Amino acid sequence: LSVYSILLYKNKKIKMKNWKFTANSFVVFEKTGLIPRSIYKFFQNLLNQFDPLYEYEIVKNFRITKYQTLVFFRYTLTVLFIPLIFATLCKKAIFVPAVNNLWSKYDGKIFLNSTQEHRAYEELQEYNNELVFHILLHSENNNVWKVTSQKNIYQHALKLKAQELAEEYSNESKEAISNVLTDITSLLFFVNILLRNQRQFLLFRSFIEESFYGLSDTARAFLIIMFTDVFVGFHSSHGWEIFLEYVLRHFGFPESREFIFAFVATLPVILDAMFKYWVFRYLNRLS
């Protein structure tokens, strides 16, 4: 039987890249019948062992699983790192010099939105309070404003701080414009990879589905509970606020509290409904 299987396997010489997976290869749930599936699988596995092609099927399934795993890791690295590297090179070589050249034509331009102005004024006010406190603390007399030298030092330090803040927020504005161009380029490159590798994407999705449904009920329940608590749980709103503030600042948009609160009040609810519907559908199919 082994010699026959080896000869049959050598004659067919399956090529990995030419395999055509059918829809039945990725079916997770089996059809229910009158006989319980556990009993049916037991007799089916018992009969399969008398099949002359049983050993060949085991080897083929092993090679398919190995090929799916290799495609998964290769596709993940391709989708994640290639667009990131390409966008970073474009940012350093094209976008940053172009934005700096364009920004230099607008003299006096510092802020992109009102939120940046408020943050700069608050930092300058805090520095002013700190500076006044230290001048009053180390002054020999309490009437420090009558001392000309100390007043000059105070004005000079405040002017240096204002110039430092202006340069800092000007760089932040230029960085935000560069981030918009870089992320658009990365997104277009990412979509291009997905469209050109649709077959690899199907293998990638099937690997994820088989890995998830292959876990035990306890592991799946733990992942679902952890995922829902992080994104739609009671304390998830604080994480969404931090994430949205970072995204808005990353792209140079004003950090509107009304928009953030409205977004946090709607998206977690929608995600929660989708999770519950998915769990209900999964349990319904499983039953």
Side-chain angles (χ1 to χ4, degrees):
L1 181 61
S2 301
V3 174
Y4 174 76
S5 301
I6 294 173
L7 290 177
L8 182 61
Y9 174 74
K10 289 184 178 180
N11 290 332
K12 293 200 174 182
K13 289 185 178 180
I14 298 175
K15 294 183 179 179
M16 292 304 209
K17 62 181 180 180
N18 295 326
W19 280 347
K20 296 182 179 179
F21 296 96
T22 60
N24 295 329
S25 300
F26 302 140
V27 173
V28 179
F29 296 97
E30 298 178 357
K31 296 181 180 180
T32 59
L34 297 177
I35 303 176
R37 283 179 293 180
S38 59
I39 300 177
Y40 174 76
K41 286 183 178 181
F42 171 76
F43 287 103
Q44 186 179 16
N45 293 331
L46 187 63
L47 293 176
N48 286 336
Q49 295 182 5
F50 296 97
D51 189 356
L53 300 179
Y54 180 69
E55 185 177 354
Y56 163 73
E57 291 294 332
I58 292 178
V59 175
K60 187 183 74 170
N61 292 332
F62 173 76
R63 293 177 66 87
I64 291 176
T65 305
K66 181 180 179 181
Y67 178 67
Q68 282 182 291
T69 306
L70 292 176
V71 169
F72 169 77
F73 286 106
R74 185 174 59 187
Y75 186 78
T76 303
L77 294 176
T78 302
V79 169
L80 291 180
F81 289 100
I82 291 182
L84 181 62
I85 294 174
F86 178 77
T88 303
L89 293 177
C90 290
K91 180 180 180 180
K92 299 296 182 182
I94 300 175
F95 298 142
V96 172
V99 171
N100 290 335
N101 186 23
L102 182 64
W103 194 263
S104 62
K105 297 181 180 179
Y106 297 92
D107 294 334
K109 184 66 176 177
I110 300 174
F111 307 107
L112 283 177
N113 52 69
S114 58
T115 307
Q116 288 181 325
E117 292 187 51
H118 291 311
R119 286 194 284 115
Y121 298 158
E122 289 177 358
E123 290 185 27
L124 186 61
Q125 184 63 38
E126 290 179 1
Y127 181 78
N128 178 46
N129 296 336
E130 182 181 356
L131 192 62
V132 171
F133 176 78
H134 285 291
I135 290 177
L136 292 174
L137 186 63
H138 296 88
S139 176
E140 295 180 358
N141 52 1
N142 294 329
N143 197 4
V144 68
W145 302 110
K146 295 182 179 180
V147 182
T148 306
S149 59
Q150 291 181 346
K151 185 182 294 185
N152 292 335
I153 293 174
Y154 164 76
Q155 293 177 352
H156 181 69
L158 201 61
K159 182 179 180 180
L160 291 178
K161 183 62 177 180
Q163 293 176 352
E164 180 183 346
L165 290 175
E167 183 179 0
E168 176 183 347
Y169 281 94
S170 178
N171 293 331
E172 182 179 321
S173 300
K174 292 185 289 185
E175 182 71 16
I177 299 175
S178 301
N179 290 334
V180 173
L181 299 175
T182 302
D183 291 342
I184 292 176
T185 304
S186 179
L187 179 61
L188 294 176
F189 197 78
F190 175 76
V191 172
N192 185 37
I193 291 179
L194 292 181
L195 294 178
R196 290 179 176 271
N197 299 275
Q198 294 183 3
R199 183 173 176 272
Q200 284 78 4
F201 175 74
L202 294 176
L203 293 174
F204 174 83
R205 188 180 66 180
S206 68
F207 182 86
I208 295 294
E209 292 178 354
E210 291 178 1
S211 299
F212 178 76
Y213 289 114
L215 297 174
S216 63
D217 294 337
T218 304
R220 274 180 290 182
F222 171 77
L223 291 177
I224 292 174
I225 293 173
M226 183 182 67
F227 196 75
T228 52
D229 285 345
V230 170
F231 290 98
V232 297
F234 178 76
H235 300 286
S236 64
S237 58
H238 303 291
W240 281 108
E241 291 178 9
I242 296 174
F243 173 74
L244 288 175
E245 288 179 359
Y246 169 78
V247 171
L248 293 175
R249 188 174 300 181
H250 178 76
F251 292 114
F253 295 116
E255 301 168 20
S256 175
R257 304 301 300 175
E258 291 79 9
F259 169 76
I260 293 176
F261 290 152
F263 190 90
V264 171
T266 55
L267 183 65
V269 177
I270 297 174
L271 291 178
D272 185 48
M274 292 174 60
F275 278 127
K276 290 178 179 178
Y277 171 75
W278 176 78
V279 171
F280 173 78
R281 183 183 179 187
Y282 166 75
L283 294 177
N284 189 28
R285 294 177 61 186
L286 185 62
S287 62

